[in-house]
Amino acid sequence: PARHALQIQMTAYVTIAVLLASSIILSIIACWVRNDYEELIQERISDDLTAITRIMEQRLLRVESSTNTMAALTCNSLGSEAEIDSLLYRSLKATDDVAGVSMIFDRESYPQVDGFYERYAYYDDDGIIQLESYINGDTLVTDADWKQCYINGKTRWSDISEDYLSGYDEICFLVPLYGKDGNRIGIAYSAVLTSHLTSFVTRHKLHKDIDISIFKTDSTMIIAPDDYILKLSGEDLLVQESVIPHLGWRVVLSADKSIIRRHVTRATLVMILLFFLMFVVISLAIRIIVRDIAKPFIEKQQQTEKEKAVMENEMQLAAGAQKELIPHVFPPLPDRKEIELSACLHPACQ
């Protein structure tokens, strides 16, 4: 019993000390989490937005470079339809982000065609490149971006339009085509599906509940935010914005603040759980360590108690032997009434 009492006492003292120290540390860490973890998440979101913006710019620049190269080669070597098809084929293969490439020529370039002649290369459902021809009638295009490209001779990204064949929404990078005499003869363009851009930002964003939308310089929406984001008020919404330097497009990241708070709460609960598990492990370790430390003292105490018991037994035997030495019958002289005799025995060390 004494051994167990000593172990329990030492274990309790050490465990309480560790618990108090750990509680203080946990309180400090929990306070830091509540105050700074949301800021850390926002910094991670900002870094994620910067990375998406940079990669998006690089991908769109590759589309622009490929289209400009296709237009330049067309201007320098405008020839047969087979040559145009070869150029379209190679341009489509050059960039993974492009769903289709096309060249539209005016009447003077193809007088045998009654209208503006277009040659279009695209991927079919089986991933095989197909080539189609279209005649656009009396006008080249009706959209303002296309007109500005053809009339003013400036490259530009178009607004969202519907793809000829698939019906999917797309944006096109437009480049004016020139003949060998320097006159504009049409437009070359590369089409990028908006679903492809949406898929790209979805793969690269930090969390599924974070929403990313993209706007052109004229605030035309290329990628729209999710419906649940539009239903949130400004107080409940975290918004960060970045600009694609080359294009001036805005990449807007939106997140529900309640989701961030849930992340903070979850992180705090995980920390408390880890602390509890750590405390259990430490308690078991303390019990083992205390048992090993207390063992010599307990053994010494047991030896002392054993020796004390032996000594007490010997003292009892000695006391009995001393009692046997004195008379047991009183008075010893019953015939002598004038003498009274009495005795008292007190064993030593008792």
Side-chain angles (χ1 to χ4, degrees):
R3 176 182 178 182
H4 292 301
L6 180 60
Q7 284 186 356
I8 293 172
Q9 188 176 18
M10 293 181 66
T11 302
Y13 288 155
V14 177
T15 302
I16 291 173
V18 173
L19 178 61
L20 290 176
S22 301
S23 299
I24 294 173
I25 295 173
L26 179 64
S27 300
I28 295 173
I29 294 176
C31 182
W32 173 82
V33 168
R34 300 300 302 180
N35 294 332
D36 295 344
Y37 191 68
E38 182 173 343
E39 182 179 347
L40 292 175
I41 291 179
Q42 293 186 21
E43 290 178 358
R44 290 188 61 190
I45 289 174
S46 179
D47 293 340
D48 187 59
L49 177 61
T50 301
I52 290 176
T53 302
R54 184 176 61 253
I55 298 173
M56 178 70 74
E57 181 182 34
Q58 293 172 353
R59 298 174 79 100
L60 294 176
L61 281 174
R62 284 198 295 268
V63 174
E64 292 186 8
S65 176
S66 173
T67 311
N68 283 320
T69 300
M70 179 177 65
L73 292 175
T74 302
C75 295
N76 294 328
S77 59
L78 183 60
S80 65
E81 187 174 273
E83 293 175 344
I84 294 174
D85 290 349
S86 176
L87 186 56
L88 290 171
Y89 181 90
R90 286 184 281 118
S91 298
L92 184 58
K93 294 284 290 184
T95 308
D96 295 335
D97 295 312
V98 174
V101 294
S102 178
M103 296 182 195
I104 305 176
F105 301 97
D106 59 20
R107 293 175 177 272
E108 296 181 359
S109 301
Y110 281 85
Q112 68 274 21
V113 177
D114 186 18
F116 287 87
Y117 177 69
E118 178 177 1
R119 192 66 174 161
Y120 183 59
Y122 64 96
Y123 290 104
D124 62 15
D125 295 337
D126 297 324
I128 300 173
I129 295 179
Q130 302 291 340
L131 290 156
E132 300 285 348
S133 296
Y134 300 95
I135 300 176
N136 295 329
D138 294 333
T139 58
L140 175 62
V141 284
T142 58
D143 185 87
D145 287 317
W146 296 70
K147 285 183 178 180
Q148 290 294 323
C149 177
Y150 179 66
I151 296 173
N152 298 330
K154 293 183 179 180
T155 60
R156 59 195 307 115
W157 283 90
S158 72
D159 289 334
I160 296 177
S161 58
E162 188 176 286
D163 180 63
Y164 289 154
L165 300 174
S166 65
Y168 296 133
D169 288 340
E170 64 182 12
I171 58 173
C172 301
F173 182 65
L174 312 173
V175 178
L177 283 176
Y178 293 90
K180 294 180 179 180
D181 56 2
N183 294 323
R184 280 190 292 276
I185 60 174
I187 292 176
Y189 70 87
S190 296
V192 179
L193 298 179
T194 56
S195 60
H196 183 81
L197 298 178
T198 303
S199 176
F200 164 75
V201 297
T202 301
R203 291 196 308 269
H204 289 80
K205 65 184 182 181
L206 181 66
H207 193 272
K208 64 180 180 64
D209 293 319
I210 292 175
D211 184 76
I212 295 178
S213 50
I214 299 178
F215 300 85
K216 290 177 61 181
T217 53
D218 59 357
S219 298
T220 302
M221 190 179 297
I222 302 299
I223 297 179
D226 291 337
D227 292 339
Y228 86 95
I229 290 291
L230 298 175
K231 296 177 182 178
L232 296 176
S233 64
E235 297 177 353
D236 299 328
L237 198 62
L238 169 67
V239 178
Q240 292 191 12
E241 183 176 312
S242 180
V243 176
I244 300 177
H246 172 70
L247 300 173
W249 294 5
R250 292 183 298 120
V251 181
V252 180
L253 184 147
S254 308
D256 188 349
K257 287 184 178 179
S258 63
I259 295 176
I260 296 177
R261 296 190 190 102
R262 285 201 297 269
H263 284 301
V264 175
T265 303
R266 189 179 300 114
T268 305
L269 292 176
V270 169
M271 185 175 299
I272 293 174
L273 177 61
L274 291 176
F275 170 77
F276 176 76
L277 295 176
M278 180 184 69
F279 178 74
V280 172
V281 172
I282 291 176
S283 299
L284 295 175
I286 289 173
R287 180 176 178 82
I288 295 173
I289 293 172
V290 168
R291 184 183 62 187
D292 293 339
I293 294 175
K295 186 177 180 180
F297 299 98
I298 293 174
E299 291 178 350
K300 181 66 175 178
Q301 184 180 15
Q302 288 178 334
Q303 182 65 26
T304 301
E305 292 175 352
K306 184 177 180 181
E307 291 176 355
K308 182 179 179 181
V310 172
M311 183 178 294
E312 289 177 350
N313 185 51
E314 291 176 352
M315 291 296 293
Q316 290 176 359
L317 292 175
Q322 288 178 355
K323 289 179 180 179
E324 292 296 328
L325 296 176
I326 64 174
H328 292 277
V329 179
F330 284 92
L333 301 172
D335 297 335
R336 303 292 298 269
K337 302 294 185 180
E338 67 277 11
I339 299 175
E340 291 183 2
L341 184 65
S342 61
C344 180
L345 178 62
H346 295 280
C349 302
Q350 201 179 50

